[in-house]
Amino acid sequence: MSKADRYQQLQDIINGLDDDFDKFYDKQNKAAGTRIRKAMMELKNLAQEIRTEVQTIKNQQEEAE
C-alpha cells in the first residue's frame, strides 16, 4: 500500500469517531461507547500493520545498501 492509502485509512477511522465521541461524552450514549471501542481496536490493529510494514521497508532498504 502507498503512504497516501495508509494515511487515509488512519484519517477515516479517526474522522468517523467525531459524532460518537460527542454522543458518548456529552449525551452518555452507551452504544456510541461501544462504537468508539470498536474503532479504537481497528486503529490499534492498523497501527500495528503499519508499524510492521515500516520495519520491513526499512530492513529492505538497509539490505540494498
Side-chain angles (χ1 to χ4, degrees):
M1 276 199 153
S2 72
K3 173 194 110 176
D5 292 337
R6 286 300 196 183
Y7 190 71
Q8 188 62 51
Q9 285 179 309
L10 290 170
Q11 283 186 319
D12 289 345
I13 292 171
I14 292 169
N15 292 337
L17 288 171
D18 191 43
D19 289 340
D20 286 329
F21 267 85
D22 288 340
K23 289 176 184 176
F24 181 73
Y25 285 101
D26 296 339
K27 300 174 185 172
Q28 290 78 41
N29 181 311
K30 292 180 184 179
T34 300
R35 290 189 297 272
I36 291 170
R37 289 195 319 273
K38 181 182 179 208
M40 290 291 104
M41 184 59 74
E42 290 174 14
L43 190 59
K44 176 185 170 233
N45 291 337
L46 180 58
Q48 183 60 45
E49 286 176 26
I50 293 170
R51 185 178 184 281
T52 301
E53 186 176 283
V54 167
Q55 186 65 43
T56 300
I57 292 169
K58 180 181 163 244
N59 290 342
Q60 290 171 346
Q61 290 172 344
E62 287 175 358
E63 289 174 5
E65 291 177 353

